[in-house]
Each structure stands twice: as structure tokens, then as C-alpha cells.
Amino acid sequence: MEDKLTKFRKLLGEISDLQSTGAVLGWDQQTYMPSGGAEGRAMQLATISRLAHEKFISDEIGMILEDLEPEAEALDYESDEACLVRQVSREYKKQCKVPSSWVAEFSRVTTLAQQAWQKAKAESDFPQFKPHLEEIVKLRRQYAGFFAPFDNVYDPLLDDFEPGMKTAEVKGVFDELRPQQTELVRAIADCGTAVDNSMLYREYPIQKQWDFGVEVIKKLGFDFERGRQDKSAHPFTTSFGLGDVRITTHFDPNYIGRSLYGTVHEAGHAMYEQGIGVSLRRMPIAQGASLGIHESQSRMWENIIGHSHAFCIAFYPRLQEYFPENLGDTDLESFYRAINKVETSLIRILADEATYNLHIMLRFDIELALMEGSLEVAELPEAWNSKMEEYLGLTPPDDGQGVLQDVHWSGGMIGYFTTYALGNLIASMFWEKMKEDIPDIEGQIERAEFSEILGWLRRNIHCHGAKFKPMELIERVTGSSLVSEPYMLYLQTKFGEIYRL
Ligand code: CO
């Protein structure tokens, strides 16, 4: 078995090298590449992803898996080897159903679509993007078809981001949450408590924003020896291996919240990647357990910790030192309330914690309708605007602030948004457990001491990488299946206090 495992690891390591190479090209595309590079880059990425896919679904891997599967079952369930074989086998069976020609075509189409989306968004011109999205939806439906039969055409897409999760489960959770969140948002709107956040929208020089953000995430535990930060239109985190995890941030010279919390969010993702156990290096399980788990990490740092009163005690005096002309006249309490102001907005990434999930439910409804075929891409702007009105009471003035605002669909990532809302729920579940284990957690945050918090996350979540399925990991950590109560309780408590409900 040792020999077979060694060979297995060698093959998987080479595939991982190809994928990391693709990640470098993808990172460059979104940070420094001139627009003239788009077509060449599309070919390069298509070739790399085809090579990686072919190598992965090769007969060689299939044969080794066949030999290893029964032997791995005899191993300790939680051992690296047993988890590796189990997870690779699941992924192998999935990917074998997808032809390499589809993978290359998908990569080519989405690379061009991302370029087109950037331009279409800047010019607020949906028709420019429409043919690209039509191709993507067609390809995505084709993709789902490879996994027929299914309960819902959306299931295979969701499974790519949240292994094991079903559309019906998501619908169930969303149906439970929607009325409660809507009620909370309404109670806040009706309570008559005004919150002023105008101080966040003054002129904040970008270099100083950058410097402050770096200072904060260094304290949180982001390791700059094994990572770096750059700028991009849409913030993201990407990993080229355990020793090189990149984050990007978007800076708005007239709004401090965007970069500050964008940086903390991405650092949350990156610290997850940096915390994966070294024994998993170059293996396909050296990544997050799922996007929902990944978002639970970024959102815990960004929201539960980053938007807490304790966090303001730790960092607000320092922020005032950076920007005395903007914040000198704002006390800590006012700042805390300002960053937690609840206000319905058009833009998902600017949404506060109380309204955020409503943006996700809107996208979930639309994606489902596109996949099920009850909505055409051409009808998308109209469908978007009417849902926006229904859920948040707002109508976008143009498509740039509406249907074109997010990068995801241009990358073919239908099914992805859902994981953001799941991340919120999971973060609250982990947080409850962490509070039990670290009674002095608030005091530690106030003193800007994060080593125990990060240590807890590393031990319980990060080090495992993708050894376990997301729901399995949640059970291990919390002893419970996915529930929405901790999340709603967290929101109700926090905003009840701020808005004196
Ligand atoms: Co994120």
C-alpha cells in the first residue's frame, strides 16, 4: 500500500502544480495584466486546466484508486491517507463524468466573459455581457446534465461549492430565515433610532488606508512571509500553495469601510489557507472544506470580530491617529454604531449584516430560475430589478449597480452566492462554540490579542483542510447539524442593542 500511496501522492502533486500555475495566471489576470493579454491568457488557462483535468481523470489515477479504496477503509477514518483517498475518489467519480472538451470550452468562455464583464460593468451596459452569460448558462446546464438524474438541476452546481448540500435544504433554510430577517430589518427601519455614518464617507487617502489595513491584518495573524496583498477591481483570495496565499483589496478614496473590511474579510480566507496542515501540502485536500466553511472564516473575522465593540476598542484609537482630520470628532461609541448602521442598499458587498442575506436570496432565486429555464438571460435586468424592489424596496438606477455588480457569473460560478449565506450561519455556530472554549474572548479582542482565537480556528478547522465534508466538519466542531438559530440570535442581540429594539 505504501508504494501505491507514494505514487498516488506524486501524481496528485503534479496536478496540484498545474492548478497552482493556473492560479498564478488567474491572479495576474485580475491584478496586473494589460487588457491586450486577455485572449492569450484565455488560451493559456484553457490549456492548463485541460492538462490538469486530463491528468486527474486518467486511467492511472482510476486504477490506483481502485486498489487503494478498500485498503483505505481499513485505516483510521480521520487519518490523512484515508481522507485523501475518500475525497479524491468522490471528486474523481464526479470529474470523470465531465468531458475534457467541456472543461477547456468552459475555461475559454469564462476567461473572455470576465473581460467582457469588466467593460460592461464600467459602462453599465448589460447587452455587452449578455451573449457571454448566455453561453455560460448553456454550459452550466450542460454540466448539470452530466450528473443526471438529480432532484434539482441546481444540485450538481451547488455540490461543486458545498459538497453534499442539496437545493431543497438551502430552500428550507432560506425559507426559515427570510421572514425573520425581513422582520428584523423592518423593526430597525421603524424604530426611529438614527445612526450617522457620514464620517466613514470622507476623503481617506488610499496609501493610509492600505497601511492601516496591513497593520490590522498583521495583528490578526495574516502571515506576510507566506502571503501578500495587491489591488483588484473585485477583492479575492487565491492560493499558490501553503507558502504563498494572495489577497487583493479594492480601495475607495471616499469610503473607509470598503477597504478596511474587505481586507479583513480576505485575510480571514487567507488565514484559513495558511493554517492548513503541512502534511496535506500539494494534495487536493490542501484547501478549504467548502466555500461555505471558507466564508464562515472570512465572515467571522469581518463581521463577528471586526464589527464588534471589542474590536473598536482595540483599533479605533489607532484609526483616529491615521485620520485625525476625519475621525477626531467622532467618539468610539459613535464609530461602533456607524460601522453597524443598517441601511438597505443596492450593492451586495456594501450591505450590512442585517440585510446581507436578502441580497443572497435574490441571487439564489435568479440562478435557480435561469437553471430551471423559467428565466431567460435577456430578461435578467428586469427580473433583478423587480426582486430588488420586492426584497429591499430599491430599484437600481442602472445595470452597473444592479445585475452587473458581481464578478461571479462571468466566471461561470453559478451556485456560489448561496455559500455566502451559509457562511454566515456556520460562522455563528463556530462562534458560539469558541465562546464556550475561550471565556475571555471579548477581553482578548479588546487587547488586540488574537493568537488564542486563531489557534482555536487552526486546531478545530484550518488544519483539516478538506479532509472532511463541510457538514461533517460542522458536526465535529459544534456537535450539531446546520441550524439558523445562533445566527438569528446573534443578529437580534447585536442590533437589538444598537437600535434599542
Ligand atoms: Co469571501
PDB file of all heavy atoms in Angstrom, residues 151-163:
ATOM      1  N   ASP A 151     -32.356  15.582  -8.209  1.00  0.00           N
ATOM      2  CA  ASP A 151     -33.639  16.110  -7.714  1.00  0.00           C
ATOM      3  C   ASP A 151     -33.898  17.478  -8.341  1.00  0.00           C
ATOM      4  O   ASP A 151     -35.012  17.821  -8.689  1.00  0.00           O
ATOM      5  CB  ASP A 151     -33.611  16.267  -6.192  1.00  0.00           C
ATOM      6  CG  ASP A 151     -33.440  14.918  -5.511  1.00  0.00           C
ATOM      7  OD1 ASP A 151     -33.833  13.902  -6.129  1.00  0.00           O
ATOM      8  OD2 ASP A 151     -32.904  14.872  -4.389  1.00  0.00           O
ATOM      9  N   ASN A 152     -32.821  18.274  -8.435  1.00  0.00           N
ATOM     10  CA  ASN A 152     -32.940  19.612  -8.997  1.00  0.00           C
ATOM     11  C   ASN A 152     -31.725  19.876  -9.885  1.00  0.00           C
ATOM     12  O   ASN A 152     -30.609  19.507  -9.525  1.00  0.00           O
ATOM     13  CB  ASN A 152     -33.009  20.653  -7.864  1.00  0.00           C
ATOM     14  CG  ASN A 152     -33.389  22.022  -8.381  1.00  0.00           C
ATOM     15  OD1 ASN A 152     -32.671  22.631  -9.179  1.00  0.00           O
ATOM     16  ND2 ASN A 152     -34.537  22.519  -7.966  1.00  0.00           N
ATOM     17  N   VAL A 153     -31.938  20.525 -11.002  1.00  0.00           N
ATOM     18  CA  VAL A 153     -30.859  20.812 -11.953  1.00  0.00           C
ATOM     19  C   VAL A 153     -29.752  21.661 -11.300  1.00  0.00           C
ATOM     20  O   VAL A 153     -28.596  21.677 -11.733  1.00  0.00           O
ATOM     21  CB  VAL A 153     -31.433  21.511 -13.225  1.00  0.00           C
ATOM     22  CG1 VAL A 153     -32.066  22.851 -12.856  1.00  0.00           C
ATOM     23  CG2 VAL A 153     -30.367  21.702 -14.294  1.00  0.00           C
ATOM     24  N   TYR A 154     -30.099  22.339 -10.206  1.00  0.00           N
ATOM     25  CA  TYR A 154     -29.149  23.195  -9.473  1.00  0.00           C
ATOM     26  C   TYR A 154     -28.262  22.376  -8.526  1.00  0.00           C
ATOM     27  O   TYR A 154     -27.192  22.843  -8.124  1.00  0.00           O
ATOM     28  CB  TYR A 154     -29.984  24.211  -8.682  1.00  0.00           C
ATOM     29  CG  TYR A 154     -29.263  25.399  -8.089  1.00  0.00           C
ATOM     30  CD1 TYR A 154     -28.810  26.446  -8.880  1.00  0.00           C
ATOM     31  CD2 TYR A 154     -29.068  25.492  -6.711  1.00  0.00           C
ATOM     32  CE1 TYR A 154     -28.174  27.547  -8.324  1.00  0.00           C
ATOM     33  CE2 TYR A 154     -28.440  26.590  -6.148  1.00  0.00           C
ATOM     34  CZ  TYR A 154     -28.001  27.616  -6.950  1.00  0.00           C
ATOM     35  OH  TYR A 154     -27.380  28.707  -6.404  1.00  0.00           O
ATOM     36  N   ASP A 155     -28.672  21.160  -8.187  1.00  0.00           N
ATOM     37  CA  ASP A 155     -27.919  20.331  -7.234  1.00  0.00           C
ATOM     38  C   ASP A 155     -26.455  20.108  -7.623  1.00  0.00           C
ATOM     39  O   ASP A 155     -25.559  20.292  -6.794  1.00  0.00           O
ATOM     40  CB  ASP A 155     -28.607  18.966  -7.034  1.00  0.00           C
ATOM     41  CG  ASP A 155     -29.791  19.042  -6.075  1.00  0.00           C
ATOM     42  OD1 ASP A 155     -29.946  20.098  -5.414  1.00  0.00           O
ATOM     43  OD2 ASP A 155     -30.550  18.067  -5.992  1.00  0.00           O
ATOM     44  N   PRO A 156     -26.194  19.681  -8.876  1.00  0.00           N
ATOM     45  CA  PRO A 156     -24.790  19.422  -9.232  1.00  0.00           C
ATOM     46  C   PRO A 156     -23.918  20.673  -9.139  1.00  0.00           C
ATOM     47  O   PRO A 156     -22.727  20.586  -8.845  1.00  0.00           O
ATOM     48  CB  PRO A 156     -24.882  18.939 -10.686  1.00  0.00           C
ATOM     49  CG  PRO A 156     -26.268  18.438 -10.853  1.00  0.00           C
ATOM     50  CD  PRO A 156     -27.108  19.320  -9.982  1.00  0.00           C
ATOM     51  N   LEU A 157     -24.501  21.842  -9.384  1.00  0.00           N
ATOM     52  CA  LEU A 157     -23.730  23.087  -9.300  1.00  0.00           C
ATOM     53  C   LEU A 157     -23.399  23.408  -7.851  1.00  0.00           C
ATOM     54  O   LEU A 157     -22.274  23.770  -7.516  1.00  0.00           O
ATOM     55  CB  LEU A 157     -24.522  24.247  -9.924  1.00  0.00           C
ATOM     56  CG  LEU A 157     -24.397  24.376 -11.440  1.00  0.00           C
ATOM     57  CD1 LEU A 157     -24.990  23.189 -12.144  1.00  0.00           C
ATOM     58  CD2 LEU A 157     -25.026  25.660 -11.914  1.00  0.00           C
ATOM     59  N   LEU A 158     -24.409  23.265  -7.017  1.00  0.00           N
ATOM     60  CA  LEU A 158     -24.232  23.530  -5.592  1.00  0.00           C
ATOM     61  C   LEU A 158     -23.181  22.595  -4.998  1.00  0.00           C
ATOM     62  O   LEU A 158     -22.338  23.006  -4.191  1.00  0.00           O
ATOM     63  CB  LEU A 158     -25.590  23.327  -4.901  1.00  0.00           C
ATOM     64  CG  LEU A 158     -25.772  23.868  -3.497  1.00  0.00           C
ATOM     65  CD1 LEU A 158     -25.474  25.351  -3.449  1.00  0.00           C
ATOM     66  CD2 LEU A 158     -27.204  23.615  -3.028  1.00  0.00           C
ATOM     67  N   ASP A 159     -23.211  21.367  -5.450  1.00  0.00           N
ATOM     68  CA  ASP A 159     -22.291  20.353  -4.928  1.00  0.00           C
ATOM     69  C   ASP A 159     -20.822  20.709  -5.189  1.00  0.00           C
ATOM     70  O   ASP A 159     -19.939  20.323  -4.424  1.00  0.00           O
ATOM     71  CB  ASP A 159     -22.613  18.989  -5.556  1.00  0.00           C
ATOM     72  CG  ASP A 159     -21.914  17.843  -4.834  1.00  0.00           C
ATOM     73  OD1 ASP A 159     -22.466  17.360  -3.840  1.00  0.00           O
ATOM     74  OD2 ASP A 159     -20.796  17.472  -5.250  1.00  0.00           O
ATOM     75  N   ASP A 160     -20.559  21.450  -6.251  1.00  0.00           N
ATOM     76  CA  ASP A 160     -19.177  21.863  -6.552  1.00  0.00           C
ATOM     77  C   ASP A 160     -18.625  22.790  -5.478  1.00  0.00           C
ATOM     78  O   ASP A 160     -17.425  22.839  -5.242  1.00  0.00           O
ATOM     79  CB  ASP A 160     -19.109  22.613  -7.892  1.00  0.00           C
ATOM     80  CG  ASP A 160     -19.192  21.659  -9.060  1.00  0.00           C
ATOM     81  OD1 ASP A 160     -19.215  20.437  -8.836  1.00  0.00           O
ATOM     82  OD2 ASP A 160     -19.223  22.152 -10.200  1.00  0.00           O
ATOM     83  N   PHE A 161     -19.498  23.573  -4.880  1.00  0.00           N
ATOM     84  CA  PHE A 161     -19.054  24.561  -3.893  1.00  0.00           C
ATOM     85  C   PHE A 161     -19.294  24.087  -2.465  1.00  0.00           C
ATOM     86  O   PHE A 161     -18.570  24.461  -1.548  1.00  0.00           O
ATOM     87  CB  PHE A 161     -19.779  25.893  -4.115  1.00  0.00           C
ATOM     88  CG  PHE A 161     -19.625  26.423  -5.509  1.00  0.00           C
ATOM     89  CD1 PHE A 161     -20.709  26.525  -6.366  1.00  0.00           C
ATOM     90  CD2 PHE A 161     -18.380  26.800  -5.978  1.00  0.00           C
ATOM     91  CE1 PHE A 161     -20.559  27.003  -7.656  1.00  0.00           C
ATOM     92  CE2 PHE A 161     -18.212  27.282  -7.266  1.00  0.00           C
ATOM     93  CZ  PHE A 161     -19.309  27.378  -8.104  1.00  0.00           C
ATOM     94  N   GLU A 162     -20.351  23.287  -2.308  1.00  0.00           N
ATOM     95  CA  GLU A 162     -20.758  22.834  -0.978  1.00  0.00           C
ATOM     96  C   GLU A 162     -21.048  21.337  -1.062  1.00  0.00           C
ATOM     97  O   GLU A 162     -22.205  20.928  -1.147  1.00  0.00           O
ATOM     98  CB  GLU A 162     -22.014  23.632  -0.583  1.00  0.00           C
ATOM     99  CG  GLU A 162     -22.157  23.959   0.879  1.00  0.00           C
ATOM    100  CD  GLU A 162     -20.964  24.687   1.465  1.00  0.00           C
ATOM    101  OE1 GLU A 162     -20.359  25.537   0.797  1.00  0.00           O
ATOM    102  OE2 GLU A 162     -20.620  24.380   2.611  1.00  0.00           O
ATOM    103  N   PRO A 163     -19.967  20.522  -1.050  1.00  0.00           N
ATOM    104  CA  PRO A 163     -20.154  19.091  -1.281  1.00  0.00           C
ATOM    105  C   PRO A 163     -21.214  18.476  -0.371  1.00  0.00           C
ATOM    106  O   PRO A 163     -21.175  18.648   0.842  1.00  0.00           O
ATOM    107  CB  PRO A 163     -18.762  18.497  -0.974  1.00  0.00           C
ATOM    108  CG  PRO A 163     -17.811  19.622  -1.215  1.00  0.00           C
ATOM    109  CD  PRO A 163     -18.551  20.871  -0.824  1.00  0.00           C
TER     110      PRO A 163
END
